[in-house]
Amino acid sequence: MNHRLLSALLFSMILLLAGCVSTRQAGKVYVTDGAQVALLPTNDMEGTVDAMHLLAGSYKDRSFNLNAYVCADSGMISVTVMTTMGNTIATLSYEGESITKATSAINGVPFPAEYFFFDFQFCFYRADALKELFDAAGLSFTEEEKDGVIRRTLTDGSRVVATVDKSEAGISFSNQLRGYSYTIVVVPDA
């Protein structure tokens, strides 16, 4: 391959990849149709996460399976979402104020990254920080532990918006208002 063609191909690939990466200020999330909240800062994270996860979920009548490598602590949340065959769909990161999203040209994440990070925070952030956030939005947040399972519940009046069950076996998340759910299981090291 001649030098000119190789240079043109490399330049085209760089432009394609650059067009798929964006960094911007984090926006707010509509938790319900009438209640909107900002994402919490990363220092409200409860502990750290550094592992490959299997996500099995459903949205209305569709189901999906994805892998996600998650590296999160009080400074940053970074998630690489992959197909079960290992092809990268998207890499998302949140650093307390800004969100960086890099998606493949074929797949990508079909919703604002804030909603992904909101679900993550609902599962992994400190209960006291979540309660304060939801109280300010006029919503109710509870966390209860029974038989080794921690249940987090978010309600709007008498209507359940979302629940999370956390145990040694994994996490079950359900957003009753929006009609989707998934389980998260840590993939053991090989």
Side-chain angles (χ1 to χ4, degrees):
M1 191 179 297
N2 71 34
H3 183 327
R4 199 179 263 175
L5 182 58
L6 185 59
S7 294
L9 181 60
L10 183 60
F11 182 71
S12 296
M13 296 222 18
I14 289 170
L15 285 178
L16 176 64
L17 290 174
C20 298
V21 177
S22 65
T23 299
R24 60 178 172 70
Q25 289 296 108
K28 292 188 175 186
V29 173
Y30 277 97
V31 181
T32 67
D33 294 340
Q36 195 179 42
V37 298
L39 293 175
L40 290 167
T42 53
N43 60 5
D44 286 328
M45 173 84 181
E46 186 173 65
T48 62
V49 178
D50 187 5
M52 180 68 77
H53 294 82
L54 173 63
L55 283 80
S58 64
Y59 174 67
K60 298 187 180 181
D61 62 344
R62 292 181 278 172
S63 62
F64 60 89
N65 289 300
L66 298 169
N67 289 325
Y69 182 77
V70 180
C71 185
D73 58 25
S74 62
M76 182 174 77
I77 303 167
S78 177
V79 180
T80 300
V81 182
M82 296 164 274
T83 66
T84 54
M85 297 297 290
N87 299 320
T88 299
I89 296 170
T91 300
L92 308 168
S93 65
Y94 173 64
E95 296 183 57
E97 292 182 10
S98 63
I99 288 178
T100 301
K101 180 177 174 181
T103 61
S104 76
I106 298 169
N107 292 316
V109 176
F111 51 83
E114 284 86 350
Y115 288 86
F116 178 87
F117 289 116
F118 174 80
D119 287 359
F120 181 90
Q121 290 182 359
F122 192 62
C123 294
F124 292 100
Y125 271 42
R126 290 189 340 268
D128 63 320
L130 292 167
K131 180 161 180 40
E132 185 177 329
L133 174 73
F134 295 133
D135 283 352
L139 302 171
S140 178
F141 171 84
T142 59
E143 180 180 271
E144 301 171 337
E145 184 173 358
K146 182 179 179 183
D147 299 328
V149 177
I150 297 171
R151 169 161 279 200
R152 291 179 166 186
T153 305
L154 179 63
T155 56
D156 182 13
S158 61
R159 178 175 60 168
V160 175
V161 176
T163 57
V164 167
D165 289 331
K166 298 182 348 174
S167 69
E168 289 292 322
I171 295 173
S172 295
F173 177 96
S174 178
N175 188 315
Q176 289 88 331
L177 182 64
R178 306 290 183 215
Y180 68 93
S181 63
Y182 50 86
T183 59
I184 304 170
V185 178
V186 173
V187 177
D189 291 337

